[in-house]
Amino acid sequence: NVSENKSVERIEYLLDLDNKRSPSGRENLAIYFDQKKEWQKEIVQWEKAIALTGSARYIDNLATVYFNNQQYDLALKELQRSLKVDSTFDFTHFGLAEVYVRLGRNEEAISEYRKAIKARSNLTQYYDNLGVLLTNLKRYPEAIQVFEEGLTSNPRYFPLCRNLGYSYYNLGEYALAEKNLKLYLERSPQAEDEAEVREVLMDIARKL
């Protein structure tokens, strides 16, 4: 450990001498501290990288540290700073949506999820998280539309079939719910939630 700490100190010293290589070096150190769960040291490295580059990606990474430590107000502040650098970066909008969900600001979260999808329409997680939020708000028709759009974007992401099935179930559209839940189990033979899904299917069978 002493040797490792000395190596880190040496790297930091060299980075201070070479600003051209410093941003990528700071990023590597931030990742190193993240793996060691030394959050404050990681924050320092991201701040130094941001000071050198003003990169929206680095700002978002800093926001992620705050988010993972449940410091949502600080994460929000950084993501808003990132927007000023690049308002088109999909991950910034997704990060804002995730923060707004934690803060109970659901309409703002929905808006930011939609901006993330518009900026990068092929990332299934964006559809999934937005659809789940709408489901939690019992806005099932909207959730169904989002899950359908996600499956159009990536037909092989079968958890969307499960979520779509649950939304149809909550609407009382049992035949469509059954179809999607069976497809999910068929395409996900080792699903951890298989027992839960089969229980819902049994209930559907009683209703049909």
Side-chain angles (χ1 to χ4, degrees):
N1 286 341
V2 173
S3 176
E4 188 174 337
N5 290 337
K6 288 290 186 183
S7 296
V8 171
E9 289 175 6
R10 176 66 176 168
I11 291 170
E12 289 206 66
Y13 173 76
L14 293 173
L15 289 174
D16 285 337
L17 297 176
D18 187 350
N19 281 342
K20 286 186 177 181
R21 294 182 181 178
S22 186
S24 60
R26 297 294 178 192
E27 180 174 8
N28 289 334
L29 277 179
I31 293 169
Y32 166 79
F33 288 128
D34 182 79
Q35 291 170 344
K36 292 177 70 68
K37 302 188 186 320
E38 296 184 28
W39 315 122
Q40 290 305 315
K41 291 181 180 180
E42 180 183 0
I43 287 168
V44 169
Q45 297 305 320
W46 288 127
E47 286 285 18
K48 288 184 177 180
I50 293 164
L52 289 166
T53 66
S55 166
R57 183 170 67 85
Y58 288 159
I59 299 171
D60 283 355
N61 288 340
L62 174 58
T64 298
V65 180
Y66 288 129
F67 180 87
N68 289 339
N69 283 279
Q70 300 181 3
Q71 295 176 282
Y72 301 126
D73 289 341
L74 291 175
L76 179 60
K77 179 181 177 181
E78 294 304 328
L79 289 164
Q80 289 171 337
R81 173 162 66 139
S82 180
L83 274 185
K84 294 177 181 178
V85 176
D86 183 359
S87 63
T88 67
F89 192 20
D90 60 286
F91 190 76
T92 305
H93 291 293
F94 179 71
L96 281 167
E98 292 288 283
V99 170
Y100 285 138
V101 168
R102 285 4 178 242
L103 295 175
R105 296 163 61 173
N106 293 320
E107 292 305 319
E108 290 165 287
I110 290 168
S111 175
E112 293 300 331
Y113 279 134
R114 293 194 186 283
K115 289 176 184 177
I117 289 170
K118 184 176 181 180
R120 190 175 177 187
S121 61
N122 64 342
L123 199 57
T124 314
Q125 184 182 5
Y126 296 168
Y127 298 97
D128 204 3
N129 287 35
L130 172 56
V132 168
L133 174 58
L134 290 167
T135 299
N136 291 339
L137 296 173
K138 299 184 178 182
R139 291 161 61 169
Y140 302 122
E142 292 175 74
I144 286 169
Q145 182 178 354
V146 170
F147 291 138
E148 292 279 15
E149 289 171 0
L151 281 169
T152 300
S153 173
N154 183 358
R156 298 182 62 82
Y157 187 70
F158 301 112
L160 285 175
C161 294
R162 175 200 58 208
N163 294 341
L164 187 57
Y166 283 152
S167 292
Y168 278 125
Y169 175 82
N170 287 317
L171 269 181
E173 298 282 353
Y174 299 124
L176 289 170
E178 182 181 51
K179 174 186 174 181
N180 282 281
L181 292 175
K182 283 184 175 179
L183 180 60
Y184 168 66
L185 290 180
E186 177 187 328
R187 301 300 174 87
S188 310
Q190 297 180 340
E192 294 182 0
D193 58 352
E194 179 182 354
E196 176 187 324
V197 174
R198 290 198 181 281
E199 188 174 332
V200 175
L201 283 168
M202 288 175 61
D203 187 59
I204 290 172
R206 290 190 289 268
K207 295 177 186 299
L208 286 175

